[in-house]
Amino acid sequence: MRIVVGVGGGIAAYKACSLVRKFTETGHHVRVIPTESALQFVGKATFEALSGNPVQTGVFADVPEVPHVRIGQEADLVVIAPATADLMARAASGRADDLLTATLLTARCPVLFAPAMHTEMWEHPATIANVATLRAHGSTVMEPASGRLTGADTGPGRLPEPEEIFALASLLLERSDALPRDLEGRRVVVSAGGTREPLDPVRFLGNRSSGKQGYAMARVAAQRGAQVTLIAGNTIGLEPPAAVEVVHVTTAEQMGTAVDKHSVGADAVIMAAAVADFRPANVAAAKIKKGAHEPNSIELTKNRDILAGLVQARRDGQLGGLAIVGFAAETGDEHGDVLTHARAKLARKGCDLLVVNAVGEGKAFEVDNNDGWLLGADGTEQSLDHGSKALLASRVLDALGPLLR
Ligand code: CTP
């Protein structure tokens, strides 16, 4: 695919280098177009070396090639990172006073802006209006991350991490349309990762869930406008998604407490976490020693089913019209295939949607891609095509939207 990476003039311009690299490493043809001020932060040679293509900022180089029209027309995706307040203002008002803004006017492909600026600039009515205009024009403008900005201040306005911009960019290539803002004003709770049930201060019973699918759910929901709380169990060192509140937990019991607390007043709960069904009945206060005798068996006790508890609380009228999404990782066995087990699980659990993944043999766990089926309580069944975990998340949210009260 032909990707244009536009770079605005902000300190976060250095992060565009990793983004360019990710695109070239995954086989894309990348053309970097910085603004003049971006070159104050990162040199032209860096972008040329990383992209393998010439870099220019103005419209008067290579004139016979008409680059100010051609690059935009031929692009499959334009990603602006960092998108500064000034660059978004120019893009929103249709200026074409450099190669990047001219490219934005001629591009008909998906366009993704990854904003980076100080919180005051992000929250200024002028920027809010420009972001709304860009979205109305069909562009996807990411929510920035919160955290440390240049200097000592913190707040929303930080450039989302390159991995996150890459994930969203890949999603736009897969979907080939803008990300809808259909979850604005909605509160969504997502659980992710595996729980750990301690045996003693050093050992635990755990599972292979990486948290990647749940993180993708949280990320895409936030980028569709939802206010998202992510209840994260053990994950493989994932970066917290931009504009998402993360609550870290360890055990199933802690996860249950956190989910219960945050579901009050929420519009949807998405249980992507791999919650342990059992925990050791006794947790040793000191490390269990090997000793000289045969190993003891571990006595287990059942954990409560968080998802089933939510469904019950809704039935009892405590959670209003909360929409509830479950996940099922199935292998199939002598009693039935993956879908047979999944249909039974949907009926047993009583949730509104069940996302079903076939697991085992390198599928679903720890990898970046996923596929499966989406079963609805109304009997609908949809296959989820193979693609990034963000794409799967996006399809689930497409189905969730109409279920929200
Ligand atoms: N789940 C939960 N609480 C538990 C176990 C599971 O909320 N104690 C949720 C998971 O987050 C997931 C769904 O239930 O959304 C299905 O999980 P799964 O482990 O597949 O279901 P189980 O009911 O444990 O079924 P199985 O007999 O297949 O283990």
Side-chain angles (χ1 to χ4, degrees):
M1 295 281 190
R2 301 180 83 85
I3 298 180
V4 174
V5 178
V7 185
I11 178 62
Y14 77 94
K15 291 192 184 171
C17 299
S18 328
L19 185 63
V20 170
R21 205 178 186 128
K22 279 181 175 294
F23 286 132
T24 54
E25 276 171 355
T26 42
H28 297 292
H29 174 279
V30 182
R31 184 83 198 231
V32 181
I33 311 182
T35 61
E36 262 309 308
S37 34
L39 295 182
Q40 298 281 335
F41 295 93
V42 179
K44 187 172 156 175
T46 305
F47 290 132
E48 289 190 330
L50 288 173
S51 66
N53 279 309
V55 167
Q56 61 212 32
T57 58
V59 293
F60 295 110
D62 269 341
V63 172
E65 297 278 314
V66 215
H68 72 291
V69 175
R70 198 178 41 81
I71 297 174
Q73 283 174 337
E74 290 176 0
D76 296 299
L77 176 72
V78 181
V79 181
I80 312 292
T84 59
D86 176 67
L87 181 50
M88 288 201 292
R90 289 194 293 130
S93 55
R95 298 282 297 271
D97 46 2
D98 60 7
L99 184 58
L100 180 51
T101 45
T103 299
L104 281 168
L105 275 187
T106 51
R108 291 295 175 271
C109 58
V111 177
L112 177 66
F113 288 86
M117 65 197 71
H118 275 79
T119 305
E120 290 83 349
M121 290 187 180
W122 175 249
E123 289 174 349
H124 194 282
T127 305
I128 292 173
N130 290 330
V131 168
T133 303
L134 291 170
R135 284 177 177 154
H137 291 170
S139 296
T140 300
V141 182
M142 288 180 76
E143 295 296 330
S146 279
R148 239 194 84 202
L149 304 166
T150 326
D153 27 354
T154 60
R158 218 174 118 93
L159 185 73
E161 290 304 315
E163 295 73 30
E164 178 143 28
I165 303 172
F166 179 78
L168 260 276
S170 307
L171 174 61
L172 292 192
L173 281 175
E174 288 174 298
R175 282 184 65 110
S176 66
D177 60 0
L179 218 53
R181 297 283 299 174
D182 55 342
L183 298 180
E184 252 170 52
R186 300 294 192 175
R187 237 171 51 65
V188 176
V189 178
V190 181
S191 71
T195 60
R196 286 179 168 182
E197 308 301 321
L199 273 163
D200 70 11
V202 272
R203 304 180 181 95
F204 57 83
L205 299 181
N207 61 63
R208 285 183 54 193
S209 170
S210 65
K212 284 185 176 182
Q213 185 58 64
Y215 270 55
M217 289 293 334
R219 164 174 300 134
V220 178
Q223 296 299 342
R224 285 168 79 146
Q227 186 194 332
V228 179
T229 304
L230 173 61
I231 319 272
N234 182 56
T235 61
I236 51 166
L238 301 177
E239 282 287 339
V244 165
E245 179 201 7
V246 186
V247 177
H248 291 281
V249 297
T250 304
T251 63
E253 192 46 47
Q254 290 167 357
M255 181 164 279
T257 305
V259 169
D260 289 349
K261 176 177 160 198
H262 292 278
S263 340
V264 178
D267 294 287
V269 175
I270 301 170
M271 284 295 299
V275 186
D277 291 324
F278 304 99
R279 65 177 182 277
N282 303 298
V283 182
K287 188 182 169 197
I288 301 169
K289 302 302 276 182
K290 169 158 81 241
H293 35 85
E294 289 298 302
N296 291 326
S297 54
I298 301 168
E299 196 191 326
L300 297 175
T301 178
K302 213 165 186 184
N303 282 328
R304 74 186 167 102
D305 189 319
I306 304 168
L307 183 68
L310 290 173
V311 171
Q312 189 56 49
R314 181 174 66 178
R315 265 191 211 124
D316 297 342
Q318 291 162 24
L319 291 173
L322 180 79
I324 305 173
V325 182
F327 271 67
E330 302 287 347
T331 58
D333 57 22
E334 69 278 12
H335 302 297
D337 62 7
V338 169
L339 270 178
T340 313
H341 282 293
R343 288 180 190 124
K345 187 167 286 181
L346 175 65
R348 196 167 65 239
K349 297 257 182 181
C351 50
D352 303 302
L353 291 172
L354 188 72
V355 186
V356 186
N357 299 126
V359 292
E361 293 156 29
K363 282 193 191 147
F365 288 124
E366 293 147 15
V367 296
D368 290 323
N369 288 322
N370 211 351
D371 52 41
W373 297 267
L374 184 61
L375 309 188
D378 59 358
T380 49
E381 297 193 1
Q382 182 194 337
S383 87
L384 298 166
D385 295 341
H386 192 74
S388 69
K389 288 188 170 176
L391 180 67
L392 187 133
S394 190
R395 296 281 178 244
V396 173
L397 294 173
D398 289 344
L400 178 66
L403 299 180
L404 300 177
R405 72 201 138 166

